[in-house]
Structures are given as structure tokens and as C-alpha cells.
Amino acid sequence: MSVDEKFLADLPKVELHLHIEGTLEPEMVFELARRHNVTLPWPDVGALKKAYDFENLQSFLDLYYRGADVLRDEQDFFDLTWAYLERCKAQNVVHTEIFFDPQTHTDRGIPFENVIHGITRALEKAGQELGITSGLILCFLRHLSEEAAFETLKQAEPYRDSILGIGLDSSEQGHPPEKFARVFAEARSQGYKIVAHAGEEGPPEYIWQAIELLDVDRIDHGVRAAEDPRLMAFLERKGMPLTVCPNSNIRLRVFDTMEDHNLKDLLAAGLKVTLNSDDPAYFGGYMLENFAAVQTALALSREEWLAITYNSIDASFATPERKAELLDMVESMAG
Ligand code: ADE
Ligand code: ZN
């Protein structure tokens, strides 16, 4: 049977790499700016959208942190998260593990609790009303210091039960995982799952460091592993998941075009590839738009799509019971 739009739409989806601040649609930027009387540097939504023409990760991050300035109250974080979860429902995303960047907000004087209460309230409501299960992963901003990461880990202590894992994001080049080895050791000792962005723009060496020094459960992105055959063999042998984000990689010019993307090679090498949307409001769409763009350019087989979906279930931090339910959903659809 061929892979058509309906097959991709119907596929039960698991998202493992999604920055909640990256779901802030330009319309919501303006709505929240009105709510809080914030003057924006763009005259209208159209002008903001025109600025979404990125040269690299840093040029995106500069805009992303400016956009996040309109997020202030608990209700803003609830509205942001709920809007994303409604999109999940529409696209058959049945389990999602969400990153948040508390330092982006606490450094502006926004209390940590506004951020976490708003997000968790939306996640709980989605569990009850939409049947979507979820997890929350706190990311340290790697352009900031180790000391600031320790401080953020401390701020998270009262919310330990609401946070599944700790991650590492922001400007990769020049901020290797080794900078955060001690704070990740502490997070690991507190029982958190561990993930890190590595090998998005940074070299394969950063992937090695994430594995050897941070003891990660998954690598976020990891596409530059392809430059190191020894690393490829190691990732395959360990079954180390990669959370690959195709539209993001094109928009941030990691690859020139989707036809040039290496996800098919990574899959063919036996790596545990998963597909995800990263910052969908900035990179041209959510899970289904990513799947559709990959299919148009790379024409994956039905078996490859099912393999990606099974990889995502396996690589998720869902409970064994939930993983079994997710597998049943895919199997009943796969026929
Ligand atoms: N923060 C949000 N999106 C990111 C990405 N793709 N890489 C690193 N940090 C990020
Ligand atoms: Zn990311």
C-alpha cells in the first residue's frame, strides 16, 4: 500500500523534540503583546513573519528569545501550551514530551512557578480531555553558565514530580556538553531522564561528550553523527535514539534542501531515528507538516514510517503501560 496523505495523517504520532516556546505563533505574539501592553519591534504579524528567514541557529535564537518576551503570566503559558495540544489532537499526536526553557523567563523576572504552573495545567487538561499523554523536560540554556544551570535545577526542586527530564539547548557551537558535566551528574542523581541537543550545528565530538560525560538517554538532533563512522556504529550498537527535526534542519540551513537531508541514511544504518517538529511556529509546521515535507522529498516507504513510529514509542519516557497502548494504536492502524 502506498504512503499517501491519509496514511501520514492517520498514523498515531509521538513527539519527543518540541520547545513549547517554539510553538508561539506570530498571531499569539501580537495577542499577548496587547494583553500586556508590550510594544513590539514589528508593526504587524506580516512583518514578524518576514523576519523568519534564518541564516543559522543563532539568527533564529535571537528572534525566538525576543518573541518569548510576551510570555508573562501563568495564563500565557497555559494558553501557549493548550494551543499546541489542540494541534496535537488535530494531527493525531497521542504522546508528547515537551521542552521548556525556564531561564528565558526567570532572567526577565518572570517567576518559575508562572511557567511551570501554566504548562502543567494545560498538560493535565489534555490528559483528561484529549487523551494525550505527556512529559515535561527542563532545558538549561548552554550559552549561560554552569552556575546558572545549578541554580535552575534548584528552582525545579519543588516541582520534581512534574518534570521528567533535563535537557540542554540554545547556541551549540562553543558550548560543548562538557561545560555542564557536573550539573547533569547532579540531575541524574536526582532521578531525572537526561537528553541534550548535540550534533545539530556542533561537531560529532559534542555527541560523544553528551554520551560519555552527560550519560544521555537520547540525543536531540544528532544528524552530524554521519561524519564519524565510529560514532555511527556506536549509536547503532547502543540503540541510542536521535530526535531528528527535518523542517528545522532546512530552515536553519543544516542541510540545503530536504532532498539533501540524511535521515534516510541514518535509518538505513540502523539508527533509532525519530521525527519531530522542534519549533513549529518558526519552521513551517507541526508534526504532520514535517512528515509531509519528508515524504515529498524523500519518499519513505510504509515500513520506514512504521519503523520511525515504533522508534518514537520505544525512545519515549512513557510508562510501559502507555507504551503498550501506543503500540496497539499503531498495530491496529497498520493492519
Ligand atoms: N532552542 C529552541 N530550538 C532550538 C534548537 N533547534 N537548537 C538549539 N536550541 C534551541
Ligand atoms: Zn530543539
Side-chain angles (χ1 to χ4, degrees), residues 33-231:
R34 268 194 302 278
R35 191 182 282 179
H36 298 299
N37 275 320
V38 175
T39 307
L40 294 169
W42 312 280
D44 52 38
V45 168
L48 174 53
K49 282 186 182 168
K50 276 212 185 85
Y52 291 5
D53 180 18
F54 309 113
E55 280 160 31
N56 51 30
L57 175 59
Q58 192 58 51
S59 67
F60 154 69
L61 290 170
D62 292 343
L63 192 79
Y64 166 84
Y65 295 131
R66 264 169 106 170
D69 182 41
V70 297
L71 294 163
R72 308 232 165 150
D73 299 342
E74 177 185 329
Q75 189 63 37
D76 304 339
F77 288 95
F78 173 87
D79 291 346
L80 176 74
T81 310
W82 185 249
Y84 163 67
L85 292 161
E86 286 189 313
R87 297 216 189 226
C88 286
K89 184 70 186 169
Q91 297 196 347
N92 224 359
V93 176
V94 289
H95 177 82
T96 180
E97 295 178 7
I98 296 177
F99 298 134
F100 74 118
D101 289 341
Q103 289 158 297
T104 300
H105 314 297
T106 53
D107 283 4
R108 298 182 286 118
I110 309 299
F112 190 99
E113 69 214 51
N114 287 17
V115 183
I116 193 142
H117 285 162
I119 297 172
T120 52
R121 190 154 59 83
L123 296 179
E124 281 163 18
K125 185 172 151 88
Q128 289 155 8
E129 296 180 14
L130 306 178
I132 297 171
T133 49
S134 58
L136 197 51
I137 298 173
L138 180 161
C139 286
F140 300 135
L141 297 181
R142 67 203 303 159
H143 67 274
L144 300 179
S145 67
E146 178 200 43
E147 190 190 354
F150 267 113
E151 174 59 31
T152 304
L153 189 61
K154 185 131 198 67
Q155 284 179 319
E157 265 172 26
Y159 308 101
R160 178 66 193 84
D161 292 346
S162 304
I163 303 173
L164 202 55
I166 301 290
L168 184 65
D169 66 2
S170 192
S171 320
E172 188 181 7
Q173 306 257 33
H175 300 285
E178 65 181 343
K179 180 176 163 187
F180 297 96
R182 289 184 297 195
V183 68
F184 273 91
E186 173 60 27
R188 175 65 86 189
S189 78
Q190 292 181 21
Y192 286 108
K193 300 285 187 190
I194 303 294
V195 299
H197 284 53
E200 178 186 18
E201 281 190 345
E205 168 60 19
Y206 287 15
I207 303 176
W208 282 116
Q209 285 188 15
I211 293 166
E212 291 173 347
L213 304 179
L214 307 190
D215 192 18
V216 291
D217 296 290
R218 302 193 293 245
I219 293 286
D220 294 316
H221 292 293
V223 291
R224 287 195 59 192
E227 296 166 30
D228 179 344
R230 197 169 66 84
L231 177 57

Side-chain angles (χ1 to χ4, degrees), residues 8 13-17 93 223 242-247 249 258 261-264 266-267 272-278 286-288 290-295 298 300 304-305 307-309 311-312:
L8 295 180
K13 299 171 192 70
V14 168
E15 175 140 72
L16 303 178
H17 186 151
V93 176
V223 291
L242 303 185
T243 63
V244 174
C245 304
N247 277 347
N249 292 155
M258 195 65 89
H261 200 290
N262 67 2
L263 71 93
K264 243 180 139 148
L266 299 174
L267 264 180
K272 199 173 280 181
V273 173
T274 71
L275 294 190
N276 310 275
S277 73
D278 205 6
Y286 292 75
M287 284 286 269
L288 186 55
N290 272 272
F291 282 27
V294 165
Q295 189 56 17
L298 300 172
L300 303 194
E304 285 170 315
W305 282 111
I308 288 166
T309 306
N311 287 346
S312 299

